[in-house]
Amino acid sequence: MALCSSTMALTFLQFKTSIISPTSYSLSLSNTLFQTQNNRFFTSLKLRSSSHHFSLLPLPFHRIASRFVALASSAAIDTIEDRLPADIEVTETQEPNSTVKLSVEVPPVVCEDCYKRVINEFMKKAKVPGFRPGKKVPESILTSYVGKQNVQKATIESILKRTLPHAMTSVTGRALKDSIRIATNFSDMEKSYSSLNSLRYDIIVDVAPEVKWIPENGYKNLKVVVEIDSDIDAQIASEQELRRRHKSLGSLRIVTDRGLQVGDVAVLDISATTIEQDESKVQKIPSAESKEDRDKVLPGFVDSIIGIHRGETKSFPLVFPESWKQENLRGVHAQFTVECKELFYRDLPELDDSISDKLLPGCTTLEQVKQSLLQKCLEVEQTAKEQATDNAILDQLRKMIEVDIPRSLLEEQGRQFYGAQLLQIQGNMKLTEQQLATLSSPKAVNEYLENQQENITNVIKQNLAVGDIFKRENLQFSTEELAKEVETSIAEFKRHKQEYDEERVREQVQEILEGAKVLEWLREHAEIQYTTTR
């Protein structure tokens, strides 16, 4: 029996992760010198290989660390090419949330050297009245023409540009890309330089967090309980699919001389309220009024409406069981009112070999139909079981580690999630530019980060655990496999005529392949128990 409610049911969207374009730094004369700018969203990345049916979220530990290694290495090259006339003093202080503060002391001799460079640059470019281009201008006249304050600001900027790579060498290979920020106000640096002819400033940088396993190496003795929904049982699912296909071949006839029977199709208007002694506290239960399937309705509901006639209304009480999926309804006493709007029965053909081709094209017997449907459902069941296993393993890993997550990593992962949601919404609803601008506003993003902080943290912990295992167990994958998956992913971007960053795509594919290797290793070494939920 199929029950059709006239009340509209809500549709919930499931969002996938997406890639956000790399964040860039720009140096400017302001209170905070390093500003981050998110340029644009890329589409989500998904491996199409059947061997990797799941997708890990970005930024496992080893990738987090390596994302700054290249930048740090280039900074090291810069320090060799641009040697300072004297050493700077850098004091490192550990801060909460995997953050390091670098206190930098720049001696007067370095400041003086930067000042001379700034004067030489102004000398080349400034067009001072009374002096030919390129002609040496006395320093006092040049400073007066350019402005003493402008020269000072340019000098401080030069000091920062030259000394920052040297200061960062102590965190080479540990600092997270796009997390560096100068904490000292520019006005304070101006005062320090003016009075002492030296410069002091603080750098705040997030570093790759350390993963601590509880117990140590606990992932090697992993015990996981995987709950499998009975809905994915291949035998049950194939039988339901056969019934659905059989029903689709029948025609609906209006019932005129009897009430509702099992197998009929009823169009019902359902309303439900809580039962309270104080009538002023009675509340509607909207979620109990949506479209229902016989296998998922409240126990006792179908029995209560059997026999109802077209145009008839029945009212009856029911109690939501303690096993009900919606926790807020468990144990709630409700009063249901049901009006039967329409009542139909199905005029079905005989279920035998004569309709096998209509049930499943290419089949000549009913047995062939049953076996083909069962095989397809077995494949779905296996995929769902593997996915449930992976999810259970990842959830268990998350609970086994302690990690101090830096704020920049939390924000980056959160923005990736939010960017994916915007992409999904835009694809489904075709948002206007104004709507997209509203949803992309800093306020909207920050609200999302605050509301979803726990979920974001859990995902990061899973990824850090996976990355740490990949390193500890020296797992590997072939370069041929990486190249093939990158090629496939780029082809997908091109097919949809979407922009992409090839290097970021390669990183993302590598992360997914690494995650696949870790989960494969864990499935082989873990003790896994399966239970069925109904």
Side-chain angles (χ1 to χ4, degrees):
M1 175 175 58
L3 308 178
C4 302
S5 169
S6 57
T7 306
M8 183 177 296
L10 292 176
T11 299
F12 294 92
L13 300 178
Q14 243 186 346
F15 299 110
K16 299 176 182 178
T17 56
S18 68
I19 306 170
I20 295 180
S21 61
T23 309
S24 60
Y25 287 119
S26 61
L27 189 61
S28 60
L29 297 175
S30 59
N31 288 340
T32 303
L33 297 186
F34 285 93
Q35 307 289 338
T36 60
Q37 299 174 348
N38 287 324
N39 299 324
R40 64 183 185 277
F41 292 125
F42 287 112
T43 188
S44 58
L45 177 66
K46 179 181 179 182
L47 291 186
R48 301 180 63 84
S49 170
S50 58
S51 61
H52 308 296
H53 59 271
F54 61 92
S55 174
L56 286 183
L57 302 178
L59 304 177
F61 173 81
H62 51 289
R63 302 300 297 159
I64 292 173
S66 65
R67 291 185 73 175
F68 188 71
V69 170
L71 183 143
S73 299
S74 62
I77 294 174
D78 290 340
T79 61
I80 296 174
E81 294 179 349
D82 186 10
R83 294 185 180 278
L84 300 177
D87 292 334
I88 61 173
E89 183 179 340
V90 181
T91 304
E92 182 177 319
T93 306
Q94 294 295 326
E95 301 282 340
N97 301 322
S98 297
T99 299
V100 171
K101 181 173 76 171
L102 301 175
S103 299
V104 184
E105 295 278 356
V106 184
V109 64
V110 176
C111 295
E112 180 64 25
D113 188 62
C114 291
Y115 171 78
K116 289 179 180 179
R117 290 192 177 197
V118 168
I119 290 296
N120 289 335
E121 285 299 313
F122 277 128
M123 194 84 71
K124 295 176 184 177
K125 297 178 181 179
K127 297 180 181 179
V128 183
F131 293 88
R132 294 177 182 177
K135 185 74 173 179
K136 185 173 182 180
V137 182
E139 186 176 314
S140 59
I141 296 176
L142 180 64
T143 302
S144 177
Y145 175 75
V146 175
K148 183 177 180 180
Q149 189 174 11
N150 290 331
V151 172
Q152 181 173 280
K153 286 184 176 181
T155 301
I156 294 173
E157 183 176 354
S158 175
I159 294 170
L160 292 173
K161 284 183 175 179
R162 290 187 65 192
T163 60
L164 187 60
H166 294 266
M168 292 297 297
T169 54
S170 65
V171 290
T172 296
R174 294 190 295 142
L176 300 189
K177 187 177 179 181
D178 304 339
S179 73
I180 310 163
R181 52 202 181 275
I182 294 179
T184 308
N185 289 335
F186 194 80
S187 59
D188 292 337
M189 286 189 278
E190 285 184 300
K191 293 176 184 177
S192 171
Y193 177 74
S194 298
S195 59
L196 303 174
N197 197 32
S198 63
L199 193 66
R200 182 191 179 285
Y201 63 94
D202 293 333
I203 304 169
I204 301 296
V205 59
D206 293 338
V207 295
E210 179 182 355
V211 176
K212 181 180 179 182
W213 290 92
I214 303 175
E216 180 65 25
N217 294 325
Y219 67 88
K220 292 186 176 181
N221 301 299
L222 203 61
K223 295 182 179 180
V224 180
V225 177
V226 184
E227 293 186 352
I228 304 296
D229 196 320
S230 60
D231 288 345
I232 70 168
D233 182 273
Q235 188 63 49
I236 297 174
S238 63
E239 291 172 358
Q240 291 177 341
E241 178 62 16
L242 179 61
R243 287 198 298 269
R244 187 193 67 78
R245 291 175 181 243
H246 185 211
K247 288 180 181 179
S248 68
L249 299 179
S251 54
L252 293 178
R253 309 290 186 187
I254 297 176
V255 175
T256 58
D257 57 349
R258 62 171 175 80
L260 177 67
Q261 295 179 357
V262 175
D264 289 345
V265 176
V267 179
L268 307 174
D269 192 352
I270 306 170
S271 63
T273 59
T274 59
I275 297 176
E276 306 285 352
Q277 290 185 349
D278 185 349
E279 293 185 1
S280 64
K281 295 183 179 180
V282 172
Q283 296 180 336
K284 292 191 67 176
I285 311 177
S287 58
E289 302 171 3
S290 59
K291 186 176 181 180
E292 302 284 357
D293 183 286
R294 184 190 174 196
D295 296 327
K296 298 179 182 179
V297 296
L298 188 64
F301 183 88
V302 173
D303 292 337
S304 298
I305 62 173
I306 288 293
I308 191 172
H309 287 73
R310 180 175 176 271
E312 184 182 356
T313 299
K314 281 191 175 184
S315 184
F316 48 88
L318 290 174
V319 180
F320 286 88
E322 292 299 329
S323 59
W324 195 250
K325 289 188 177 181
Q326 292 173 267
E327 294 184 10
N328 63 314
L329 292 180
R330 292 173 183 174
V332 171
H333 291 251
Q335 185 71 25
F336 283 81
T337 301
V338 179
E339 180 185 358
C340 183
K341 294 288 189 180
E342 299 289 348
L343 188 57
F344 305 92
Y345 71 92
R346 283 192 174 91
D347 187 8
L348 298 174
E350 193 69 26
L351 186 61
D352 55 25
D353 292 348
S354 65
I355 62 169
S356 57
D357 187 61
K358 294 180 180 179
L359 291 170
L360 189 62
C363 293
T364 57
T365 66
L366 184 59
E367 185 60 28
Q368 282 184 343
V369 174
K370 291 180 179 179
Q371 290 301 316
S372 296
L373 292 178
L374 178 59
Q375 183 59 40
K376 291 180 180 179
C377 290
L378 283 170
E379 293 172 2
V380 173
E381 178 185 29
Q382 181 61 28
T383 299
K385 188 175 181 179
E386 290 175 359
Q387 184 66 71
T389 303
D390 292 342
N391 291 340
I393 289 174
L394 290 172
D395 189 58
Q396 186 75 356
L397 293 179
R398 170 183 63 81
K399 298 174 182 177
M400 297 176 68
I401 66 168
E402 283 186 358
V403 61
D404 202 11
I405 300 175
R407 181 65 188 178
S408 62
L409 183 56
L410 191 70
E411 291 180 351
E412 179 183 359
Q413 184 72 83
R415 287 192 171 91
Q416 290 194 26
F417 286 162
Y418 193 70
Q421 291 199 13
L422 286 186
L423 283 172
Q424 187 74 22
I425 294 172
Q426 176 72 350
N428 290 329
M429 302 176 60
K430 303 300 180 184
L431 299 174
T432 64
E433 289 188 10
Q434 183 177 357
Q435 290 173 323
L436 192 58
T438 301
L439 291 173
S440 303
S441 67
K443 180 181 178 182
V445 176
N446 289 334
E447 286 179 354
Y448 175 84
L449 291 176
E450 182 177 349
N451 295 334
Q452 297 296 319
Q453 181 170 342
E454 183 178 353
N455 292 333
I456 297 168
T457 299
N458 288 340
V459 170
I460 292 174
K461 290 180 72 174
Q462 289 177 355
N463 292 333
L464 291 172
V466 166
D468 194 50
I469 294 172
F470 189 87
K471 285 176 55 181
R472 285 172 177 243
E473 300 303 324
N474 296 315
L475 303 178
Q476 296 179 347
F477 53 85
S478 67
T479 55
E480 292 80 6
E481 188 175 7
L482 175 63
K484 179 181 178 182
E485 295 291 3
V486 169
E487 183 181 349
T488 302
S489 299
I490 290 177
E492 190 73 7
F493 281 115
K494 291 180 177 179
R495 188 170 69 87
H496 292 285
K497 298 180 180 179
Q498 294 176 333
E499 296 182 35
Y500 63 91
D501 182 313
E502 184 170 348
E503 182 58 32
R504 188 64 188 99
V505 171
R506 179 176 292 274
E507 285 183 1
Q508 186 83 346
V509 169
Q510 184 169 338
E511 290 162 8
I512 295 173
L513 290 175
E514 289 171 356
K517 289 296 181 182
V518 169
L519 286 171
E520 181 182 344
W521 186 91
L522 288 171
R523 283 194 298 269
E524 291 176 356
H525 292 79
E527 181 182 325
I528 303 175
Q529 178 184 350
Y530 294 94
T531 62
T532 303
T533 60
R534 296 188 181 276

